[in-house]
């Protein structure tokens, strides 16, 4: 895999504003991406254009300005906050005489440095190779076919063709391995569906606080940091919710505007957890001035992976950073929660979030009356653990008469686990 060694590289950042909004990127976001790699931005070159030029992406005057900035600051690399074509990247490299990286390459570089699990590394390598395969055209100076003659006969293919063949072979190997991962994950999902265990998938823009919220809901210890793409490897943990019992929560990779399509394809095995989820918690950094744009970017990725039909609960996180905002729940006309305002860092509003999750998942919650035998202490304790008991009265035989509110699925499972200890009235 193409991994990046940690270094304090000197970066000239190039940012161009276009008239079309769908082509715009955010300069501050790109600066944060660069800082996430451990590099230092020594100069920023900005400009405005109606459309990119075929040769350098920017105009010739702006290209000369980039070259001057590289020479002045002795920069190691130029990073362009846009997607470049292979020819544009190559032309700029020849002009500035240093490495040139576009936005897609930068994101792939960050992913390569953050992948920890075997699956995560495979997915990143696949995305890197798919991206690299488009940049082999005329990228070499030794592309001529080997000449014939004694001692000079070769395979009859250019270096370019050899590289393409090797990359295709490696991509096929990775795809086979990821197919095994996909089958294993699908097997786990089938088992959860058979046991009727709901799955909650956390999605959101990068650095929205998904991992902090995931840890708060599951008491896990997933790595969380105030940086873009702190989480790369998918994580599944079990959580307990009153009335519905166990649920599986999935922490996913953060989304970003114009997320490279190669990454979406490479992470398909992971993103299937979101496609098959019972509920999506869409985590939003409410302190961000671009929260509406971030919501739209996440919904665009959900649409791309065909997960836009999964029920969503919007979780506005980081209210502790927004003065005057308190934890609360917004519900629709039917009384179902739509938005929850919380702080996963301080814990403010977490009880409200749990109640909202239960309300979204447990639409089959019902009220039941039970007669418990005197020896049904373990069943009674299990019902208390689920916070499902509404009314409790002792009966003449030393048992209990209970009014409980919980999922019919969970009640049937409890009665099956404690046979002969209770009866429905």
């Amino acid at each position: 895999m193409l991994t990046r060694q940690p270094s304090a590289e000197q970066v000239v950042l190039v940012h161009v504003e276009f008239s079309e909004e769908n082509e715009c990127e955010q300069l501050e976001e790109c600066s944060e991406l660069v800082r996430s790699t451990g590099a230092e931005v020594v100069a920023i070159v900005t400009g405005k254009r109606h459309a990119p030029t075929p040769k350098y992406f920017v105009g010739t005057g702006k290209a000369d300005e980039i070259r001057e900035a590289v020479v002045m600051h002795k920069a190691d690399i130029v990073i362009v906050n846009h997607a470049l074509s292979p020819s544009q990247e190559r032309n700029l490299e020849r002009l500035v005489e240093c490495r040139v990286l576009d936005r897609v390459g930068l994101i792939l570089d960050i992913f390569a440095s953050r992948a920890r699990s075997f699956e995560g590394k495979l997915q990143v390598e696949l995305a890197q190779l798919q991206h690299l395969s488009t940049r082999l055209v005329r990228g070499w100076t030794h592309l001529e076919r080997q000449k014939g003659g004694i001692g000079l006969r070769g395979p009859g293919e250019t270096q370019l063709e050899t590289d393409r063949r090797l990359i295709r072979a490696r991509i096929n190997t990775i795809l086979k391995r990821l197919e095994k991962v996909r089958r294993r994950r699908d097997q786990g999902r089938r088992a959860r569906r058979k046991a009727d265990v709901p799955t909650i998938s956390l999605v959101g823009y990068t650095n929205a606080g998904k991992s902090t919220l995931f840890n708060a809901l599951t008491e896990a210890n997933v790595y969380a940091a105030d940086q873009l793409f702190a989480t790369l490897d998918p994580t599944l943990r079990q959580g307990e919710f009153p009335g519905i019992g166990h649920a599986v929560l999935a922490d996913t990779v953060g989304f970003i505007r114009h997320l490279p399509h190669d990454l979406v394809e490479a992470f398909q095995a992971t993103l299937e957890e979101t496609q098959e989820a019972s509920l999506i918690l869409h985590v939003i950094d409410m302190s961000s001035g671009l929260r509406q744009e971030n919501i739209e970017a996440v919904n665009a990725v959900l649409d791309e992976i065909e997960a836009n039909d999964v029920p969503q609960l919007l979780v506005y996180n980081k209210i502790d950073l927004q003065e005057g905002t308190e934890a609360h729940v917004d519900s629709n006309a039917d009384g179902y929660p739509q938005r929850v305002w919380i702080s996963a860092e301080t814990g403010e509003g977490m009880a409200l979030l749990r109640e909202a999750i239960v309300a979204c998942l447990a639409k089959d919650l019902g009220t039941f009356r039970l007669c418990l035998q005197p020896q049904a202490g373990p069943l009674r304790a299990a019902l208390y653990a689920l916070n499902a008991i509404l009314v409790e009265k002792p009966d003449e035989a030393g048992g209990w008469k209970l009014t409980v509110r919980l999922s019919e699925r969970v009640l049937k499972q409890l009665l099956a686990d404690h046979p002969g200890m209770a009866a429905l009235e």
Side-chain angles (χ1 to χ4, degrees):
M1 188 173 69
L2 307 176
T3 55
R4 178 186 58 79
Q5 297 301 320
S7 63
E9 293 176 302
Q10 308 294 297
V11 173
V12 171
L13 184 58
V14 179
H15 176 77
V16 181
E17 292 184 10
F18 291 100
S19 53
E20 291 191 22
E21 290 187 5
N22 63 346
E23 294 296 329
C24 289
E25 305 291 358
Q26 298 298 324
L27 177 58
E28 181 55 37
E29 181 179 83
C30 187
S31 299
E32 188 62 35
L33 285 170
V34 173
R35 285 193 288 271
S36 297
T37 68
E40 179 186 357
V41 177
V42 294
I44 298 177
V45 178
T46 60
K48 292 185 177 181
R49 290 195 66 85
H50 291 294
T53 63
K55 187 173 183 181
Y56 293 126
F57 187 82
V58 295
T60 53
K62 192 61 65 176
D64 290 335
E65 186 180 336
I66 296 169
R67 181 179 60 184
E68 290 169 5
V70 169
V71 173
M72 180 185 300
H73 297 280
K74 298 180 180 178
D76 304 300
I77 183 170
V78 172
I79 294 180
V80 182
N81 189 23
H82 306 273
L84 300 180
S85 70
S87 61
Q88 289 168 339
E89 191 174 297
R90 185 175 61 254
N91 292 337
L92 265 179
E93 281 188 344
R94 288 173 181 167
L95 179 69
V96 302
E97 297 182 346
C98 73
R99 283 194 302 132
V100 173
L101 199 64
D102 68 354
R103 178 183 171 87
V104 177
L106 175 62
I107 293 174
L108 288 172
D109 181 78
I110 295 172
F111 273 50
S113 66
R114 300 277 166 79
R116 293 292 178 268
S117 69
F118 174 72
E119 177 189 349
K121 290 177 179 178
L122 279 179
Q123 291 174 134
V124 172
E125 185 181 358
L126 175 61
Q128 285 181 315
L129 290 173
Q130 288 172 335
H131 181 65
L132 180 64
S133 64
T134 66
R135 275 153 166 72
L136 289 179
V137 180
R138 296 178 183 172
W140 306 82
T141 58
H142 51 296
L143 298 184
E144 65 274 8
R145 295 181 184 276
Q146 295 188 24
K147 298 178 182 178
I150 297 173
L152 295 176
R153 293 185 179 91
E157 64 180 354
T158 65
Q159 180 66 45
L160 174 61
E161 290 166 341
T162 302
D163 292 335
R164 280 177 172 165
R165 177 167 48 79
L166 292 174
I167 286 178
R168 279 198 302 270
R170 180 60 183 162
I171 285 176
N172 288 335
T173 300
I174 294 173
L175 287 173
K176 289 177 182 177
R177 292 182 178 179
L178 285 176
E179 182 58 34
K180 292 181 181 178
V181 172
R182 183 176 285 109
R183 285 200 297 268
R184 187 172 68 245
R185 285 186 175 276
D186 190 51
Q187 201 171 25
R189 282 192 294 269
R190 283 200 305 271
R192 291 198 295 271
R193 282 196 296 268
K194 188 175 181 181
D196 206 10
V197 176
T199 301
I200 304 167
S201 181
L202 278 70
V203 305
Y205 207 76
T206 180
N207 203 29
K210 294 183 299 300
S211 295
T212 304
L213 177 59
F214 182 82
N215 289 338
L217 287 172
T218 63
E219 298 181 359
N221 193 27
V222 170
Y223 177 69
D226 184 18
Q227 61 183 23
L228 301 182
F229 298 118
T231 301
L232 181 59
D233 299 312
T235 309
L236 298 179
R237 291 289 186 276
Q238 189 169 268
E240 285 279 346
F241 295 91
I244 63 173
H246 298 304
V248 172
L249 287 95
D251 189 17
T252 61
V253 63
F255 298 157
I256 196 168
R257 259 179 296 276
H258 301 155
L259 187 68
H261 186 71
D262 290 341
L263 275 178
V264 176
E265 282 191 342
F267 280 76
Q268 193 65 35
T270 303
L271 294 173
E272 281 176 0
E273 295 292 350
T274 302
Q275 291 173 306
E276 301 290 333
S278 311
L279 176 68
I280 289 177
L281 294 188
H282 183 165
V283 186
I284 301 155
D285 179 1
M286 72 153 298
S287 66
S288 170
L290 298 169
R291 63 172 177 263
Q292 189 56 44
E293 291 87 342
N294 294 349
I295 291 171
E296 292 170 2
V298 171
N299 286 333
V301 177
L302 291 176
D303 186 54
E304 186 173 353
I305 65 174
E306 298 179 354
N308 50 343
D309 291 333
V310 180
Q312 268 194 46
L313 177 62
L314 301 182
V315 182
Y316 286 83
N317 190 24
K318 304 187 183 182
I319 62 171
D320 54 307
L321 302 180
Q322 196 79 5
E323 190 175 345
T325 305
E326 296 182 353
H328 64 280
V329 178
D330 293 337
S331 301
N332 62 13
D334 297 325
Y336 287 108
Q338 300 279 286
R339 292 171 292 274
V340 187
W341 307 74
I342 66 156
S343 169
E345 182 69 30
T346 65
E348 187 179 356
M350 289 302 297
L352 292 175
L353 175 60
R354 287 181 175 275
E355 290 173 6
I357 291 173
V358 170
C360 290
L361 286 178
K363 293 182 179 179
D364 64 337
L365 276 182
T367 302
F368 306 93
R369 291 185 177 182
L370 297 175
C371 292
L372 269 63
Q373 301 296 324
Q375 68 272 22
L379 174 57
R380 177 171 171 265
L383 289 167
Y384 266 109
L386 289 171
N387 198 23
I389 297 178
L390 301 177
V391 179
E392 177 185 81
K393 293 180 180 179
D395 63 13
E396 299 80 5
W400 301 271
K401 289 187 176 182
L402 305 179
T403 302
V404 298
R405 179 171 174 77
L406 75 170
S407 164
E408 184 177 356
R409 166 186 63 83
V410 176
L411 178 60
K412 287 181 178 178
Q413 185 63 51
L414 286 172
L415 295 178
D417 291 341
H418 302 85
M421 293 188 180
L424 284 166
E425 283 190 351

